[in-house]
Amino acid sequence: DIQMTQSPSSVSASVGDRVTITCRASQGISSWLAWYQQKPGKAPKLLIYAASTLQSGVPSRFSGSGSGTDFTLTISSLQPEDFATYYCQQGNSFPRTFGQGTKVEIK
Amino acid sequence: EVQLVESGGGLGQPGGSLRLSCSASGFTFNSYAMSWVRQAPGKGLEWVSGISDSGGSTFYADSVKGRFTVSRDNSKNTLYLQMNSLRAEDTAVYYCARWRTREFEYWGQGTLVTVSS
Protein backbone atom coordinates (compact mmCIF):
# COMPACT_ATOMS: atom_id res chain seq x y z
CA ASP A 1 0.00 0.00 0.00
CA ILE A 2 1.11 3.56 -0.62
CA GLN A 3 1.56 5.50 2.61
CA MET A 4 0.72 9.18 2.62
CA THR A 5 2.46 11.34 5.23
CA GLN A 6 1.35 14.89 5.92
CA SER A 7 3.26 17.58 7.73
CA PRO A 8 2.74 19.29 9.97
CA SER A 9 0.06 17.43 11.93
CA SER A 10 -1.27 20.76 13.11
CA VAL A 11 -0.58 24.41 12.45
CA SER A 12 -1.66 27.53 14.29
CA ALA A 13 -2.22 30.52 12.05
CA SER A 14 -3.97 33.88 11.93
CA VAL A 15 -6.50 35.24 9.47
CA GLY A 16 -4.59 36.52 6.46
CA ASP A 17 -1.62 34.19 6.92
CA ARG A 18 -0.21 32.04 4.17
CA VAL A 19 -0.40 28.37 5.13
CA THR A 20 1.42 25.50 3.47
CA ILE A 21 0.76 21.81 4.08
CA THR A 22 2.99 19.08 2.70
CA CYS A 23 2.06 15.55 1.67
CA ARG A 24 4.62 12.88 0.81
CA ALA A 25 3.83 9.55 -0.84
CA SER A 26 5.87 6.44 -0.04
CA GLN A 27 6.24 5.83 -3.76
CA GLY A 28 5.61 7.81 -6.92
CA ILE A 29 1.98 8.59 -7.69
CA SER A 30 2.42 10.81 -10.76
CA SER A 31 -0.07 13.66 -10.26
CA TRP A 32 -2.87 11.53 -8.80
CA LEU A 33 -3.21 13.49 -5.61
CA ALA A 34 -6.30 15.10 -4.13
CA TRP A 35 -6.83 17.43 -1.17
CA TYR A 36 -9.93 17.58 1.05
CA GLN A 37 -11.15 19.93 3.74
CA GLN A 38 -13.16 18.60 6.67
CA LYS A 39 -14.88 20.64 9.36
CA PRO A 40 -15.98 19.08 12.66
CA GLY A 41 -19.06 16.90 12.29
CA LYS A 42 -19.16 17.39 8.53
CA ALA A 43 -18.25 15.33 5.49
CA PRO A 44 -14.98 16.01 3.69
CA LYS A 45 -15.07 18.38 0.73
CA LEU A 46 -12.91 17.98 -2.36
CA LEU A 47 -10.68 21.03 -2.89
CA ILE A 48 -8.06 20.00 -5.42
CA TYR A 49 -7.55 17.00 -7.69
CA ALA A 50 -4.82 15.91 -10.06
CA ALA A 51 -2.40 17.69 -7.72
CA SER A 52 -3.20 21.19 -8.91
CA THR A 53 -6.68 21.40 -10.42
CA LEU A 54 -9.15 23.41 -8.36
CA GLN A 55 -12.52 21.74 -7.90
CA SER A 56 -15.42 23.85 -9.16
CA GLY A 57 -16.58 26.40 -6.61
CA VAL A 58 -13.43 26.29 -4.48
CA PRO A 59 -11.91 29.72 -3.79
CA SER A 60 -8.76 30.60 -5.69
CA ARG A 61 -6.81 31.19 -2.47
CA PHE A 62 -6.39 27.40 -2.41
CA SER A 63 -3.71 25.98 -4.68
CA GLY A 64 -1.87 22.70 -5.06
CA SER A 65 1.42 21.67 -6.57
CA GLY A 66 3.78 18.75 -6.90
CA SER A 67 4.21 15.45 -8.68
CA GLY A 68 5.85 12.13 -8.03
CA THR A 69 6.15 11.85 -4.25
CA ASP A 70 6.02 15.42 -2.91
CA PHE A 71 2.97 17.65 -2.91
CA THR A 72 1.88 20.91 -1.35
CA LEU A 73 -1.43 22.56 -0.50
CA THR A 74 -1.22 26.32 -0.05
CA ILE A 75 -3.83 28.68 1.34
CA SER A 76 -2.64 32.10 0.23
CA SER A 77 -4.59 34.20 2.74
CA LEU A 78 -6.31 32.24 5.50
CA GLN A 79 -9.95 33.09 6.05
CA PRO A 80 -12.07 32.33 9.15
CA GLU A 81 -13.95 29.58 7.29
CA ASP A 82 -10.68 27.80 6.43
CA PHE A 83 -10.05 26.58 9.96
CA ALA A 84 -10.49 22.84 9.49
CA THR A 85 -8.61 19.59 9.00
CA TYR A 86 -7.05 18.91 5.60
CA TYR A 87 -6.35 15.49 4.11
CA CYS A 88 -4.38 14.40 1.07
CA GLN A 89 -5.30 11.23 -0.83
CA GLN A 90 -3.56 9.27 -3.55
CA GLY A 91 -5.49 8.00 -6.55
CA ASN A 92 -2.66 6.19 -8.30
CA SER A 93 -3.18 2.66 -7.04
CA PHE A 94 -5.41 0.49 -4.88
CA PRO A 95 -6.11 0.73 -2.05
CA ARG A 96 -6.78 4.45 -2.19
CA THR A 97 -5.07 5.91 0.87
CA PHE A 98 -5.26 9.17 2.81
CA GLY A 99 -2.79 11.14 4.82
CA GLN A 100 -3.35 11.38 8.56
CA GLY A 101 -4.64 14.93 8.35
CA THR A 102 -3.42 18.42 9.19
CA LYS A 103 -5.47 20.54 11.57
CA VAL A 104 -5.38 24.26 10.87
CA GLU A 105 -6.14 26.07 14.12
CA ILE A 106 -6.66 29.67 15.09
CA LYS A 107 -3.59 31.33 16.57
CA GLU B 1 -27.65 19.65 -6.85
CA VAL B 2 -25.88 16.41 -6.03
CA GLN B 3 -27.30 14.79 -2.90
CA LEU B 4 -26.13 11.60 -1.21
CA VAL B 5 -28.01 10.38 1.83
CA GLU B 6 -26.75 7.41 3.81
CA SER B 7 -28.90 5.26 6.08
CA GLY B 8 -28.78 1.93 7.87
CA GLY B 9 -26.20 2.70 10.50
CA GLY B 10 -26.65 1.85 14.15
CA LEU B 11 -25.54 -0.67 16.71
CA GLY B 12 -24.23 -3.99 15.40
CA GLN B 13 -23.09 -7.01 17.34
CA PRO B 14 -19.57 -8.40 16.93
CA GLY B 15 -19.88 -11.10 14.31
CA GLY B 16 -23.19 -9.66 13.16
CA SER B 17 -24.34 -7.89 10.02
CA LEU B 18 -25.60 -4.50 8.90
CA ARG B 19 -26.54 -3.12 5.50
CA LEU B 20 -25.92 0.49 4.65
CA SER B 21 -27.73 2.32 1.88
CA CYS B 22 -26.91 5.52 0.04
CA SER B 23 -29.68 7.22 -1.91
CA ALA B 24 -28.44 9.45 -4.71
CA SER B 25 -30.12 12.33 -6.50
CA GLY B 26 -29.25 15.35 -8.62
CA PHE B 27 -27.14 13.47 -11.14
CA THR B 28 -27.28 10.52 -13.53
CA PHE B 29 -26.46 7.79 -11.03
CA ASN B 30 -25.67 5.07 -13.56
CA SER B 31 -22.95 7.22 -15.14
CA TYR B 32 -20.74 7.38 -12.06
CA ALA B 33 -18.66 5.04 -9.97
CA MET B 34 -19.41 5.17 -6.26
CA SER B 35 -17.43 4.45 -3.15
CA TRP B 36 -17.57 4.05 0.61
CA VAL B 37 -15.10 5.79 2.93
CA ARG B 38 -15.13 5.48 6.70
CA GLN B 39 -13.80 7.47 9.63
CA ALA B 40 -13.36 5.96 13.06
CA PRO B 41 -14.16 8.31 15.96
CA GLY B 42 -11.48 10.98 16.21
CA LYS B 43 -9.41 9.36 13.44
CA GLY B 44 -8.60 9.92 9.79
CA LEU B 45 -10.24 8.75 6.60
CA GLU B 46 -10.07 5.17 5.31
CA TRP B 47 -11.28 4.07 1.88
CA VAL B 48 -13.42 0.94 2.21
CA SER B 49 -14.84 -0.06 -1.14
CA GLY B 50 -15.77 1.11 -4.62
CA ILE B 51 -17.97 0.02 -7.50
CA SER B 52 -18.03 0.94 -11.17
CA ASP B 53 -20.94 2.74 -12.81
CA SER B 54 -22.43 -0.50 -14.13
CA GLY B 55 -21.67 -2.49 -11.00
CA GLY B 56 -19.52 -4.85 -13.01
CA SER B 57 -16.33 -4.05 -11.13
CA THR B 58 -15.85 -3.85 -7.39
CA PHE B 59 -12.90 -2.90 -5.24
CA TYR B 60 -12.14 -3.43 -1.55
CA ALA B 61 -9.65 -2.51 1.13
CA ASP B 62 -7.89 -5.54 2.57
CA SER B 63 -9.38 -4.74 5.99
CA VAL B 64 -12.90 -5.54 4.72
CA LYS B 65 -12.30 -7.95 1.84
CA GLY B 66 -14.35 -11.13 2.27
CA ARG B 67 -16.59 -9.50 4.90
CA PHE B 68 -18.14 -6.50 3.13
CA THR B 69 -19.92 -6.45 -0.22
CA VAL B 70 -20.64 -3.34 -2.24
CA SER B 71 -23.50 -3.30 -4.73
CA ARG B 72 -25.79 -0.85 -6.47
CA ASP B 73 -29.27 -0.73 -7.92
CA ASN B 74 -29.19 1.77 -10.76
CA SER B 75 -32.99 1.57 -11.16
CA LYS B 76 -33.33 2.87 -7.60
CA ASN B 77 -30.33 5.26 -7.64
CA THR B 78 -29.05 3.49 -4.56
CA LEU B 79 -25.65 2.23 -3.39
CA TYR B 80 -25.34 -0.48 -0.75
CA LEU B 81 -22.72 -1.85 1.60
CA GLN B 82 -23.45 -5.24 3.13
CA MET B 83 -21.30 -5.59 6.23
CA ASN B 84 -20.89 -9.09 7.67
CA SER B 85 -18.70 -10.53 10.42
CA LEU B 86 -18.56 -7.14 12.08
CA ARG B 87 -15.63 -6.27 14.32
CA ALA B 88 -15.12 -3.56 16.91
CA GLU B 89 -12.64 -1.89 14.56
CA ASP B 90 -15.42 -1.40 12.00
CA THR B 91 -16.91 1.25 14.30
CA ALA B 92 -16.90 4.45 12.25
CA VAL B 93 -18.91 7.00 10.37
CA TYR B 94 -19.45 5.59 6.89
CA TYR B 95 -19.65 8.04 4.00
CA CYS B 96 -20.76 7.28 0.49
CA ALA B 97 -19.11 9.32 -2.21
CA ARG B 98 -19.41 9.89 -5.91
CA TRP B 99 -16.14 8.53 -7.18
CA ARG B 100 -14.15 9.65 -10.16
CA THR B 101 -12.01 6.57 -9.40
CA ARG B 102 -9.03 8.83 -8.65
CA GLU B 103 -10.73 11.15 -6.17
CA PHE B 104 -14.00 11.41 -4.23
CA GLU B 105 -16.00 14.25 -5.71
CA TYR B 106 -19.13 14.52 -3.57
CA TRP B 107 -19.82 13.06 -0.14
CA GLY B 108 -22.91 12.24 1.86
CA GLN B 109 -23.35 13.34 5.47
CA GLY B 110 -22.40 9.91 6.80
CA THR B 111 -24.02 7.25 8.96
CA LEU B 112 -22.54 6.00 12.23
CA VAL B 113 -21.92 2.29 12.72
CA THR B 114 -21.09 1.13 16.22
CA VAL B 115 -20.00 -2.46 16.76
CA SER B 116 -20.35 -3.48 20.36
CA SER B 117 -21.94 -6.14 22.51
Side-chain angles (χ1 to χ4, degrees):
Chain A
D1 298 3
I2 296 176
Q3 293 200 6
M4 307 299 293
T5 303
Q6 291 181 230
S7 60
S9 295
S10 65
V11 56
S12 293
S14 301
V15 172
D17 284 353
R18 181 182 183 90
V19 173
T20 298
I21 299 168
T22 296
C23 179
R24 175 164 287 176
S26 61
Q27 58 187 268
I29 59 170
S30 186
S31 293
W32 301 118
L33 192 282
W35 290 98
Y36 302 85
Q37 176 193 66
Q38 187 179 33
K39 297 181 180 179
K42 301 295 186 181
K45 173 187 174 183
L46 177 64
L47 298 176
I48 287 169
Y49 62 94
S52 61
T53 303
L54 209 61
Q55 173 73 351
S56 176
V58 174
S60 59
R61 63 181 179 273
F62 291 92
S63 64
S65 65
S67 67
T69 60
D70 294 311
F71 301 86
T72 298
L73 172 70
T74 300
I75 309 172
S76 60
S77 178
L78 199 64
Q79 298 301 300
E81 59 268 30
D82 300 338
F83 292 96
T85 299
Y86 294 83
Y87 293 92
C88 63
Q89 173 250 321
Q90 65 83 15
N92 185 71
S93 63
F94 288 100
R96 303 298 191 234
T97 48
F98 292 84
Q100 82 279 13
T102 295
K103 188 173 184 179
V104 177
E105 300 175 297
I106 300 173
K107 194 171 188 178
Chain B
E1 179 193 4
V2 171
Q3 286 204 330
L4 300 167
V5 179
E6 301 92 339
S7 60
L11 181 63
Q13 299 280 328
S17 299
L18 283 174
R19 188 176 85 153
L20 305 184
S21 300
C22 171
S23 177
S25 61
F27 65 101
T28 305
F29 184 69
N30 61 15
S31 294
Y32 289 89
M34 298 294 294
S35 202
W36 291 96
V37 178
R38 68 184 180 185
Q39 186 169 36
K43 302 297 184 181
L45 300 166
E46 180 189 16
W47 173 75
V48 173
S49 181
I51 187 168
S52 64
D53 52 2
S54 67
S57 297
T58 57
F59 309 86
Y60 297 95
D62 284 347
S63 57
V64 305
K65 198 173 294 181
R67 301 189 299 123
F68 290 11
T69 302
V70 62
S71 62
R72 63 192 296 162
D73 186 335
N74 285 345
S75 68
K76 295 182 178 179
N77 289 353
T78 302
L79 172 72
Y80 302 100
L81 185 67
Q82 178 67 43
M83 309 166 63
N84 297 332
S85 303
L86 286 167
R87 304 169 179 167
E89 54 265 34
D90 295 322
T91 294
V93 173
Y94 285 74
Y95 296 101
C96 73
R98 197 172 89 174
W99 187 32
R100 294 200 294 225
T101 71
R102 303 288 187 180
E103 63 274 340
F104 307 97
E105 188 180 12
Y106 292 100
W107 300 60
Q109 86 289 348
T111 188
L112 176 63
V113 170
T114 302
V115 181
S116 174
S117 55

